[in-house]
């Protein structure tokens, strides 16, 4: 089992920045890859970005890749989603998710590839 706890959400004005954290536990950090997803009211959950188990591969959705970055800190078992130049359309509940990845460095973009989910953190961007 992998436990995930997100934090860092909040209310920010358009153009502002936030950094979300996802603290993982329950499995060796280097054996999991982590993805970030978001879900706005009335919309499906969508892939935002992900990072492979070693951090060598990072993939972000086209809608955010110029503004968002992902990193991981093995000393803290934590994955970060740094969000810059936020827009009102970024308003959503943000979730981190994990999948076992004992070999390979693939970044999965389909939410059904992930076995473990955090509780989510709300991000609200005002115009």
């Amino acid at each position: 089992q992998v436990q995930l706890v997100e934090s860092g959400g909040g209310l920010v004005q358009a153009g502002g920045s936030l950094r979300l954290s996802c603290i993982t536990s329950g499995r060796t950090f280097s054996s999991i890859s982590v993805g970030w997803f978001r879900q706005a009211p009335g919309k499906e959950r969508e892939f935002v970005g992900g990072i492979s188990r070693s951090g060598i591969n990072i993939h972000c959705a086209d809608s955010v890749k110029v503004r968002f970055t992902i990193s991981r800190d093995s000393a803290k078992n934590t994955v970060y989603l740094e969000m810059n130049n936020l827009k009102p359309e970024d308003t959503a509940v943000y979730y981190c998710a994990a999948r076992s990845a004992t070999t390979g460095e693939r970044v999965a973009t389909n939410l059904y590839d992930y076995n473990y989910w955090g509780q989510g953190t709300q991000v609200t961007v005002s115009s």
Side-chain angles (χ1 to χ4, degrees), residues 81-93:
L81 176 65
E82 185 80 34
M83 306 184 293
N84 299 305
N85 191 22
L86 282 160
K87 303 176 181 181
E89 52 263 42
D90 295 316
T91 295
V93 177

Side-chain angles (χ1 to χ4, degrees), residues 2 5 16 26 28 44 46 53 75 82 93 105 108 111-112 116 118 123:
V2 178
V5 179
T28 302
E44 294 184 350
E46 65 174 355
R53 63 186 185 93
E82 185 80 34
V93 177
E105 297 287 342
L111 62 92
Y112 296 106
Y116 309 100
V123 171

Side-chain angles (χ1 to χ4, degrees), residues 10-120:
L11 174 64
V12 64
Q13 289 188 333
S17 299
L18 282 174
R19 188 178 75 163
L20 305 185
S21 300
C22 175
I23 300 175
T24 74
S25 61
R27 188 164 292 183
T28 302
F29 190 59
S30 61
S31 70
I32 60 172
S33 64
V34 175
W36 286 96
F37 292 78
R38 66 185 181 185
Q39 189 166 20
K43 295 188 176 181
E44 294 184 350
R45 192 168 299 189
E46 65 174 355
F47 175 77
V48 175
I51 187 166
S52 65
R53 63 186 185 93
S54 75
I56 194 171
N57 286 332
I58 298 171
H59 175 63
C60 289
D62 288 344
S63 59
V64 305
K65 64 182 179 181
V66 175
R67 302 181 292 121
F68 292 7
T69 60
I70 298 173
S71 61
R72 58 192 289 157
D73 184 338
S74 59
K76 298 181 178 180
N77 291 348
T78 301
V79 174
Y80 300 100
L81 176 65
E82 185 80 34
M83 306 184 293
N84 299 305
N85 191 22
L86 282 160
K87 303 176 181 181
E89 52 263 42
D90 295 316
T91 295
V93 177
Y94 283 71
Y95 299 89
C96 67
R99 57 187 295 270
S100 297
T102 53
T103 60
E105 297 287 342
R106 172 176 167 251
V107 176
T109 61
N110 190 317
L111 62 92
Y112 296 106
D113 286 332
Y114 292 87
N115 309 103
Y116 309 100
W117 292 83
Q119 81 287 354

